[in-house]
Every structure is written in C-alpha cells, then in structure tokens.
Amino acid sequence: PRHSHTFATLLHTQRPKPSMHLWLLAAFPALRLAPPVMQVRDQMSGVAPVGNARYQGGVMPTRQPLTADSSILVQGGSLRTWSYRSPSVEQVQVVLSTEGRPLDADIELWHGPDNTPCKMRVYVENGQLRPFSAVVETPRGPNTVAIRNIGQVEFPLAANVVADNVDQPSPECTSSSTTIQGGALRTYPFDPRIDSVQVLLKTDGRPLNARIELLQGPNNNKQVIELYTEDGCDRPFFCYLVTPGSGNVVRIVNTAPVEFPMTAGVVPHSINQEMSSGAVLGGDVVMGGDAGW
C-alpha cells in the first residue's frame, strides 16, 4: 500500500530495478515484445539465389540465351513458337533436324493478329543427313516464329531458332541471280564434290510463291520447300541445301502467275576437296560425268 504508484510514474523513473521490470511485465502483458523471427531476404523477395548472386527488386530470367545446342524437341502434331518483341531483331535463322527420320513441318511468321507475311512447308527425306536451315526476315517487330510438326507422333524433330550470327548470302550468290518468270522453272545440277549450296530468292516487291526441290535421280525428291512471302524485296528467302552424294539437282519453280517474276541465285557453298570427280566401281553413278574405262 505504501508504493501505490501509477503506471505513468513508473515510466518516468530514471533507473528502475530489475524486480520492477518483472512486476511491469506481469501487470501489463501488452509491454511484452514479440520474439525475434529470422527472415531470409531472398525468400521475402520471392527470388531464389543462384550461386553467390543476389537479386534485389528484379525478376530472375527464366530462359537462357539461345546457343547452337539449344534445340527444342517438337513432337509430331505439336506446335512451338519463338517470340521477338524487340524491333532490332531483323533476321532469325531456323534450323530443323531429326535423328534420321523424315521431317515434315510448317513454318510461319506471325506479325500482328491474323497477319502471316511468310510461311513455308518443308519436307526432308532424312533430317539427319540433310538438315533444314533457312533465314527468315523479321523487320519491324514484334514477330513470332511458329513451327508445327505435321508429321506423325513417331517422327519428332529438333528445332532451333537463333537471332544472332545469322548466315548471309555470299556476293557470288547475290550477283549470279537470274530471272524466273511466273509458271517457269529452272534446274541447277551440281558436281558430286559439292556438299551444300546456297539458294536466294527475291522479287522487286511483289509476292513470292516458289517451290524448291532437291533431286537425286529421276523424280526422287530428297527435300522440298513450298514458300510464300508477301513481299519478296522486303522479305527475301535464303537457305542452305545439303547435297551429299552425287547426282544432285536443285529445281526452282515459280508457282506464281506470269505477272509475278522472281530472281533466283543458286551457287555452291561448301566443296569437298577430298572427293574425286570420277566414277567409282560399285559406287554412285555420276550424272553428266565422264566414265573412265
């Protein structure tokens, strides 16, 4: 009864004794502090640490930069897309291959809603021996490249789309372009030493409709590309055709009407210097070559 002090008086005491602290905590439970809780900074920010790196106020990237080995497996009947929102990406290279099975795919370029300025149908008899490689023009982004495997489920394919280190046609390929009128075709036979060829198709601004065929023997299509481009000057088509063996002939067909001519340049790209141009007994037949007796 002698020490009947109020709570305000106790708070103004300069140095309260330890016993007084205990009495205050017992009399006023609100003064008790919550126990300290360890909070991990990375967990609170919702970002998982990678190695010794710390991310503050950002989002960890979910997709690594595309490399030469960043192929994606596309099962039969499925669709994969690659989107590029930056307008600085003006070209992309599409590479398709298989493990030795046939390759049958549709490639489309989407530029805005319901706008497909470029599309092609690709068939390859052996996607491992003759992989498909083409450059698709993507000016004025954003653009999306869509690849659909229209083959059966037993025939998957490996797809890779890269925007850096895109192949360019050689000056010889550009300077050797010749005109192909609408409805006409032109053939380009190649020596057995030629391992691959360059194909460049373009117009003066009109639509481009063409079919590119790689033949090895009479009516034996090893690779077929059916191409459509709404503007052959703004979006020319460039690709590589792998031509192993002998008797390879590239046939270019302008499937557009006569009012829509196009120019085509087909030149050798890589040459195998170790292969002899003469015929070998028991080997492939050299079409157009001299047979030694």
Side-chain angles (χ1 to χ4, degrees):
R2 183 178 178 181
H3 301 282
S4 56
H5 300 285
T6 61
F7 176 67
T9 306
L10 293 174
L11 289 179
H12 287 81
T13 305
Q14 295 181 357
R15 291 185 177 275
K17 298 180 180 180
S19 59
M20 188 175 297
H21 281 289
L22 297 177
W23 182 83
L24 285 174
L25 294 176
F28 303 93
L31 295 177
R32 299 179 183 179
L33 298 176
V37 179
M38 296 182 63
Q39 297 180 357
V40 182
R41 180 187 228 174
D42 296 327
Q43 293 180 357
M44 295 298 293
S45 62
V47 180
V50 179
N52 297 325
R54 289 180 176 271
Y55 296 89
Q56 300 180 7
V59 179
M60 179 180 175
T62 58
R63 181 181 298 177
Q64 299 297 329
L66 289 174
T67 60
D69 299 330
S70 59
S71 298
I72 297 178
L73 190 65
V74 183
Q75 300 292 339
S78 60
L79 171 69
R80 285 299 184 99
T81 59
W82 286 259
S83 297
Y84 299 92
R85 298 186 178 275
S86 174
S88 61
V89 179
E90 297 183 349
Q91 289 179 325
V92 296
Q93 186 161 359
V94 180
V95 180
L96 305 180
S97 62
T98 65
E99 295 181 350
R101 302 181 180 184
L103 187 153
D104 199 357
D106 274 339
I107 303 174
E108 294 182 352
L109 176 65
W110 298 343
H111 188 201
D114 298 330
N115 183 20
T116 308
C118 179
K119 57 184 177 181
M120 63 189 79
R121 168 79 178 271
V122 180
Y123 167 78
V124 183
E125 184 184 62
N126 188 336
Q128 184 179 26
L129 187 62
R130 300 177 181 86
F132 171 79
S133 177
V135 176
V136 179
E137 300 289 335
T138 58
R140 300 175 298 279
N143 293 276
T144 299
V145 177
I147 299 177
R148 183 186 301 274
N149 186 353
I150 59 178
Q152 300 179 0
V153 69
E154 296 86 3
F155 303 111
L157 62 88
N160 191 10
V161 181
V162 296
D164 51 351
N165 298 326
V166 177
D167 294 330
Q168 300 294 333
S170 63
E172 181 185 1
C173 182
T174 305
S175 60
S176 64
S177 298
T178 57
T179 302
I180 301 178
Q181 299 294 336
L185 64 89
R186 181 162 297 185
T187 59
Y188 303 85
F190 289 97
D191 193 83
R193 295 177 298 173
I194 306 301
D195 287 338
S196 62
V197 300
Q198 303 180 39
V199 177
L200 175 63
L201 303 180
K202 58 183 179 180
T203 66
D204 57 355
R206 307 180 191 186
L208 173 61
N209 288 271
R211 185 171 68 250
I212 306 171
E213 301 177 357
L214 176 61
L215 306 173
Q216 196 173 29
N219 296 325
N220 186 11
N221 289 326
K222 298 297 183 180
Q223 184 170 346
V224 179
I225 303 172
E226 295 180 356
L227 172 68
Y228 164 75
T229 300
E230 68 175 7
D231 189 341
C233 181
D234 192 26
R235 304 176 187 271
F237 176 76
F238 175 70
C239 72
Y240 286 119
L241 297 180
V242 182
T243 58
S246 59
N248 292 289
V249 177
V250 176
R251 180 164 60 187
I252 308 295
V253 182
N254 188 350
T255 57
V258 69
E259 297 85 4
F260 300 96
M262 71 175 184
T263 59
V266 183
V267 297
H269 173 62
S270 60
I271 301 175
N272 188 357
Q273 301 292 345
E274 298 179 358
M275 179 178 292
S276 175
S277 60
V280 180
L281 183 62
D284 296 333
V285 178
V286 179
M287 298 181 62
D290 297 330
W293 296 89

